[in-house]
Amino acid sequence: MKARLSLKALSFCLIFFTAVTSFAQTATVKGKIIFNNNEPAQQASIELKGAQIGAMTDNQGSYEIKNVKPGNYTLRVSAVGFASKEKNITLKAGEELVENFSISTSTEELSEVIVTDSKNTFARKTSTVVSKMPLKDIENPQVYNVISSELLKEQVITNFDDALKNAPGIDKLWESTGRAGDGAGYFSLRGFAVQPTMVNGLPSLTNGSPDPANIESIEVIKGPSGTLFGSSLISYGGLINVNTKKPFQGTGGNISYTGGTFGLNRVTLDYNTPLNAEKNVLFRVNAAYHSENSFQDAGFKRSVFIAPSLSYTVNDKLSFTINTEFYNGKSTNQTMLFLDRGQDLLVHNMDELHYDKNRSYTSNDLYIETPSYNLQGQMNYKISDTWTSQTVLSRTSAKSDGYYSYLYEMTQAKNPDGTLVFAGLEEGIVLGRYLSKQNAETYGTDIQQNFIGDFKIGNFRNRIVAGLDYFNNNSVSNNSGYALNGLVYMGNASETNVNATVYKITDPRFFIKNGDNGVLSQAGTDALLAGSPVSSYKTKQEVYSAYVSDVFNITPALSAMASIRADRFITEGDITTKSDDFNQTAFSPKFGLVYQPILNKVSVFANYMNGFTNVAPVTATNINNVTKVNTFEPEHANQFEFGTKLNLLGDNLVASLSYYDIKVDNTVIESALGDYIQDGQQENKGFEASITANPIPGFNIIAGYSYNDSKLQKATPGNEFLGRRPESAGPRNLANLWASYKFLAGELKGFGLGFGGNYGSENATFNRTVGVFTLPEYTVLNASLFYSSEAFTVTMKLDNLTDKEYYKGWSTINPQRPRVFAIGINYNF
């Protein structure tokens, strides 16, 4: 009996000793990660390379990795929007090693810290804007794509439109027109038109095109997002958000010059410095001067941009950030040809149109200025270990002052014998050139109060944002009307048969022959507009909103998102009359599920998302001769989407694939009786795929593909769009690719090259019962060659390698740039 007890005791001691010895033979590494403003780096990623284990920081920025075998490792720290850092460490048996990091966008290297090119440079795995809380992409049920500042530098991006070519499912419809109210560029996103209207998740107005100089990243957020972002400035397809560069600890920056084809000259400056010895007051300024001519016979762009920002960390609980942007652009607007909407089309493709893309039909004397500013102030206060208060104030303004012009097809009625009224024109079309003097301003104010929490109820983790939002939007306009300033013929008829006499024009200045631009001076245009009445009005809108969103972890691998918004919309329309005033209340829900079969590496997700639009009353007289005011509920769009997200091979492969279905089922249509009812329906559905990868050190890839099927399914019988693809939907198929390789060792160390491009299938830019005008498919290829060292980067870039002639449009025909060469020189200091 004693022998048995002794044997059991010996076995127990042996097992206990083995366990203790085993535990003693492992090590722990822990520490705290902070941002350059001393804020804790929440949701930062820490990885022990070689061990394939890691951790995420908590709300305090703390992390801990246990049970690590002794040995030599590389500790890698990364967070969205900040430079990744690596440090070589040695772990001894039983040791508890403390390693703290301060991460920033600084190009300076800490002692013993290695900034490496061997990483997935283009990937961003976390966002604080998309869900208004820190949330990793792989656990977010919403799809979004991020275009990083590193990618913009590598591609020598000098304009915002080219930057967006790196996101799948988005395509340009219109260049910036500069005109009042909606002068920014338009883009098709999941089949709906959208403009860039958000900076750091807050409203930002522009009648021009945002300058890339202050962009840290661009987030293309997919699907109707009314629950967290409201309805005033976004679309059912999603929104475009720009994250700006922020101050960081340390002194340094860079200056760059870019020169190229068509007189491109661009200079940018990025400078950062602490303003006190304690380094808790930080200042950064980004600035740019841009000058460029059009590829056409007339046209130009000049702009000056400056963006000072300041951060002040009072203590470990309270901090302030101020971001400002001031932009003044002066340019001619891009040539756009509008096809006549009131008659059968006479031309249906570019071959029939016979358009000379090198003709602008404008003058450098007829330009428009589009000054804008954006001021944002943010206060963060750490209430407790689990709750943070975020108070934000935003003020934004956009003006238009100058001349806007476009070409519109003139109605060509037919004689009884079938010949055109314009004699001698058996083919081709005539377009009128219309001009207006723009003089208007739109300005807005936004105030948000958010409470952001990360806490547990029992064993269940909750990440929540609860907020109040007030948005005020006003516009003042004194625009002139539009005046006809000349006629343009496009077709094969000889010039001898196409002259002012044929058109019975009494003033020959109005007819534009080859090489003659007619009356295109400011004085001549002002004289034409002298008889055109000025349209003066002032509008006012106010929106009061409350929202709450909770990400609830049922298990570490399974989470659910539930969100709701209540929105009160108040508009006075034209403040001089009460007839267009109306108020509406809308509720917008959002739900999502995410399951990670492999935690932090593979997720499958599904979402239901809602967007809404406030619909103004319509006063109409029906067929019974009864006049009444038709009032409506807010219009809603509902999206169902499912897909998968991947984060594999140690962050070197980040991808998403999804299928979506968006239905707008209560649009306002005219009934058979002449009344107006909410019974229209549109459905946009499609597939999207995106990938960013670093398959081998130095080799980076970003690629995407999208397919979109859109149709107006229900409308008034005889509606010219019924059963057709909306003109805002853009091409059905879009693809983008950029791949670059940088030599990391050897004689070619620092050299690299890049190659990629964009594909778009044919596009029915005009698609109505009167006819269809189809823009051809296009493949545009780009390439670059660069050399990079610690202080210098020199990049040569060639866009549109094959000099492809291609067009964009939204019921219009907009010629795009031919082959363009640029060289960028960047100096870091």
Side-chain angles (χ1 to χ4, degrees):
M1 185 71 176
K2 290 183 178 179
R4 287 184 183 176
L5 289 173
S6 299
L7 185 59
K8 287 184 177 179
L10 182 62
S11 298
F12 174 78
C13 291
L14 183 60
I15 294 171
F16 179 76
F17 177 77
T18 302
V20 171
T21 304
S22 176
F23 180 78
Q25 288 177 346
T26 63
T28 297
V29 59
K30 66 179 183 179
K32 188 171 183 178
I33 314 300
I34 62 172
F35 291 134
N36 42 42
N37 61 359
N38 292 325
E39 284 287 309
Q42 302 178 23
Q43 296 297 310
S45 175
I46 301 92
E47 178 190 4
L48 274 179
K49 297 178 69 174
Q52 297 300 314
I53 57 175
M56 300 292 292
T57 56
D58 60 17
N59 286 347
Q60 302 300 312
S62 299
Y63 74 94
E64 186 174 25
I65 306 174
K66 297 180 178 180
N67 301 325
V68 184
K69 293 181 179 181
N72 297 320
Y73 297 95
T74 299
L75 186 64
R76 182 174 186 264
V77 180
S78 61
V80 61
F82 291 79
S84 298
K85 290 184 177 178
E86 295 187 356
K87 185 173 183 179
N88 297 323
I89 62 173
T90 299
L91 290 176
K92 300 177 181 179
E95 181 181 20
E96 188 175 80
L97 182 65
V98 177
E99 289 290 349
N100 299 321
F101 287 86
S102 175
I103 56 177
S104 71
T105 55
S106 173
T107 58
E108 298 178 296
E109 295 182 1
L110 301 179
S111 60
E112 297 186 284
V113 174
I114 304 168
V115 179
T116 175
D117 289 301
S118 180
K119 61 180 181 178
N120 196 350
T121 306
F122 303 147
R124 292 290 186 271
K125 300 183 297 175
T126 304
S127 173
T128 59
V129 172
V130 178
S131 296
K132 289 188 178 289
M133 67 174 82
L135 195 64
K136 291 184 293 184
D137 181 33
I138 202 163
E139 57 183 345
N140 193 332
Q142 185 168 6
V143 175
Y144 64 96
N145 300 110
V146 181
I147 303 166
S148 67
S149 57
E150 291 90 344
L151 181 59
L152 301 186
K153 291 177 182 177
E154 186 170 299
Q155 293 183 343
V156 197
I157 296 295
T158 61
N159 66 81
F160 189 78
D161 295 3
D162 284 350
L164 289 181
K165 294 177 180 179
N166 291 291
I170 187 168
D171 191 54
K172 181 168 63 178
L173 296 171
W174 281 3
E175 288 82 1
S176 169
T177 63
R179 67 185 184 186
D182 68 346
Y186 274 98
F187 302 86
S188 178
L189 182 58
R190 292 196 168 179
F192 297 97
V194 65
Q195 293 185 293
T197 55
M198 292 283 173
V199 170
N200 298 320
L202 299 170
S204 176
L205 303 174
T206 177
N207 287 333
S209 182
D211 194 286
N214 196 36
I215 293 177
E216 181 60 38
S217 65
I218 302 171
E219 293 173 331
V220 181
I221 304 172
K222 308 294 185 66
S225 303
T227 310
L228 291 181
F229 295 95
S231 66
S232 298
L233 297 174
I234 67 174
S235 89
Y236 296 149
L239 66 140
I240 303 167
N241 175 64
V242 171
N243 293 314
T244 61
K245 297 176 181 177
K246 307 297 192 303
F248 57 87
Q249 286 186 339
T251 299
N254 64 76
I255 186 170
S256 70
Y257 168 76
T258 305
T261 313
F262 307 117
L264 172 64
N265 285 285
R266 178 178 172 85
V267 179
T268 68
L269 169 70
D270 182 356
Y271 177 70
N272 186 92
T273 185
L275 296 182
N276 62 349
E278 293 78 12
K279 296 186 178 181
N280 63 342
V281 181
L282 308 174
F283 174 77
R284 187 173 187 176
V285 61
N286 281 270
Y289 169 76
H290 187 105
S291 175
E292 184 178 9
N293 297 321
S294 169
F295 67 90
Q296 296 180 312
D297 57 355
F300 72 93
K301 175 184 176 182
R302 309 282 186 271
S303 66
V304 176
F305 173 78
I306 185 168
S309 58
L310 183 76
S311 70
Y312 173 37
T313 303
V314 182
N315 50 48
D316 59 353
K317 289 188 174 182
L318 180 64
S319 65
F320 296 89
T321 303
I322 298 174
N323 300 304
T324 65
E325 292 184 321
F326 301 91
Y327 175 86
N328 190 15
K330 177 179 178 180
S331 64
T332 56
N333 63 271
Q334 174 66 43
T335 300
M336 292 195 295
L337 281 61
F338 287 81
L339 296 168
D340 188 12
R341 303 166 184 177
Q343 66 162 9
D344 291 342
L345 285 189
L346 299 175
V347 291
H348 303 87
N349 53 56
M350 296 307 301
D351 291 336
E352 294 179 7
L353 182 61
H354 299 290
Y355 173 49
D356 181 359
K357 65 180 179 63
N358 294 315
R359 295 292 305 277
S360 67
Y361 303 104
T362 188
S363 162
N364 287 352
D365 202 30
L366 298 181
Y367 56 82
I368 189 168
E369 294 187 76
T370 54
S372 64
Y373 68 79
N374 184 36
L375 312 176
Q376 295 181 350
Q378 179 172 310
M379 179 182 73
N380 291 309
Y381 181 73
K382 192 170 186 58
I383 302 171
S384 67
D385 290 343
T386 56
W387 285 96
T388 300
S389 169
Q390 181 191 73
T391 306
V392 183
L393 171 64
S394 171
R395 180 72 171 172
T396 181
S397 168
K399 292 183 179 180
S400 295
D401 184 13
Y403 300 90
Y404 166 67
S405 66
Y406 65 92
L407 297 174
Y408 192 96
E409 183 182 357
M410 302 291 288
T411 300
Q412 299 187 38
K414 293 184 179 180
N415 294 313
D417 62 0
T419 61
L420 299 176
V421 170
F422 289 148
L425 282 185
E426 298 302 331
E427 64 175 351
I429 62 173
V430 174
L431 299 102
R433 181 175 54 199
Y434 290 88
L435 296 105
S436 168
K437 183 71 177 294
Q438 302 282 297
N439 180 16
E441 179 182 10
T442 302
Y443 51 95
T445 301
D446 188 77
I447 303 173
Q448 284 187 22
Q449 174 59 54
N450 294 310
F451 295 97
I452 304 168
D454 189 343
F455 56 90
K456 285 187 176 182
I457 300 177
N459 293 322
F460 302 105
R461 183 185 183 188
N462 288 264
R463 281 163 289 178
I464 190 170
V465 57
L468 299 171
D469 188 5
Y470 169 74
F471 178 62
N472 180 300
N473 190 47
N474 296 267
S475 60
V476 180
S477 175
N478 291 287
N479 295 336
S480 76
Y482 285 86
L484 177 65
N485 185 10
L487 298 173
V488 176
Y489 169 73
M490 293 185 186
N492 268 340
S494 64
E495 189 169 315
T496 57
N497 293 327
V498 182
N499 53 52
T501 305
V502 170
Y503 294 103
K504 301 178 174 60
I505 301 297
T506 56
D507 188 340
R509 294 179 306 164
F510 284 142
F511 186 74
I512 305 168
K513 293 186 291 186
N514 190 26
D516 175 21
N517 275 326
V519 184
L520 280 178
S521 65
Q522 289 190 15
T525 301
D526 289 342
L528 287 174
L529 293 172
S532 178
V534 173
S535 176
S536 299
Y537 65 86
K538 182 176 182 179
T539 67
K540 180 181 179 181
Q541 293 180 359
E542 293 181 293
V543 184
Y544 298 85
S545 305
Y547 48 85
V548 61
S549 179
D550 184 21
V551 177
F552 179 78
N553 276 91
I554 304 167
T555 70
L558 178 63
S559 63
M561 174 185 283
S563 315
I564 186 71
R565 182 188 191 94
D567 192 280
R568 181 62 173 172
F569 178 85
I570 302 171
T571 179
E572 296 185 24
D574 187 344
I575 65 171
T576 63
T577 178
K578 297 290 185 181
S579 62
D580 57 356
D581 295 1
F582 74 98
N583 306 328
Q584 285 183 335
T585 300
F587 294 92
S588 178
K590 174 182 177 182
F591 302 98
L593 281 173
V594 176
Y595 175 64
Q596 301 181 55
I598 306 176
L599 200 62
N600 294 322
K601 296 185 180 299
V602 178
S603 72
V604 290
F605 67 90
N607 67 56
Y608 161 78
M609 295 173 56
N610 177 269
F612 60 96
T613 300
N614 298 104
V615 184
V618 176
T619 302
T621 302
N622 63 24
I623 62 174
N624 296 320
N625 203 32
V626 175
T627 300
K628 68 176 184 178
V629 178
N630 300 268
T631 59
F632 313 102
E633 296 295 321
E635 179 184 277
H636 283 268
N638 298 293
Q639 171 183 278
F640 292 92
E641 182 177 18
F642 63 89
T644 183
K645 296 182 180 182
L646 308 174
N647 185 7
L648 303 173
L649 304 177
D651 299 339
N652 287 324
L653 175 62
V654 178
S656 69
L657 300 94
S658 69
Y659 171 83
Y660 63 88
D661 190 325
I662 306 173
K663 287 185 179 178
V664 187
D665 55 9
N666 65 334
T667 58
V668 175
I669 62 174
E670 187 178 3
S671 71
L673 297 177
D675 298 317
Y676 285 82
I677 58 175
Q678 284 192 280
D679 198 31
Q681 185 180 91
Q682 179 177 329
E683 182 174 18
N684 293 14
K685 54 187 177 181
F687 170 81
E688 290 179 348
S690 67
I691 181 174
T692 59
N694 176 226
I696 59 174
F699 185 37
N700 286 280
I701 301 171
I702 184 168
Y705 168 77
S706 69
Y707 172 82
N708 174 267
D709 182 21
S710 300
K711 182 183 291 186
L712 182 61
Q713 295 181 321
K714 190 176 182 182
T716 306
N719 182 290
E720 60 179 336
F721 300 105
L722 183 58
R724 296 174 178 269
R725 180 178 178 84
E727 295 165 352
S728 63
R732 289 181 185 272
N733 297 276
L734 292 168
N736 64 281
L737 168 69
W738 182 256
S740 67
Y741 180 73
K742 180 180 179 180
F743 293 91
L744 303 180
E747 294 183 358
L748 293 177
K749 181 180 179 180
F751 283 95
L753 63 161
F755 179 80
N758 292 84
Y759 167 80
S761 59
E762 65 179 20
N763 176 26
T765 182
F766 190 96
N767 190 16
R768 312 184 186 195
T769 55
V770 296
V772 178
F773 191 98
T774 303
L775 297 176
E777 68 175 1
Y778 63 85
T779 299
V780 176
L781 302 176
N782 313 309
S784 71
L785 180 66
F786 59 89
Y787 172 76
S788 179
S789 67
E790 183 177 346
F792 282 98
T793 300
V794 180
T795 307
M796 293 183 289
K797 177 83 179 297
L798 196 60
D799 288 330
N800 198 351
L801 278 168
T802 61
D803 203 22
K804 175 71 174 179
E805 181 176 326
Y806 69 111
Y807 300 83
K808 306 281 188 177
W810 179 17
S811 79
T812 60
I813 301 161
N814 311 350
Q816 301 301 296
R817 292 191 303 173
R819 185 186 296 118
V820 176
F821 172 79
I823 181 169
I825 303 172
N826 185 84
Y827 171 65
N828 300 317
F829 54 86

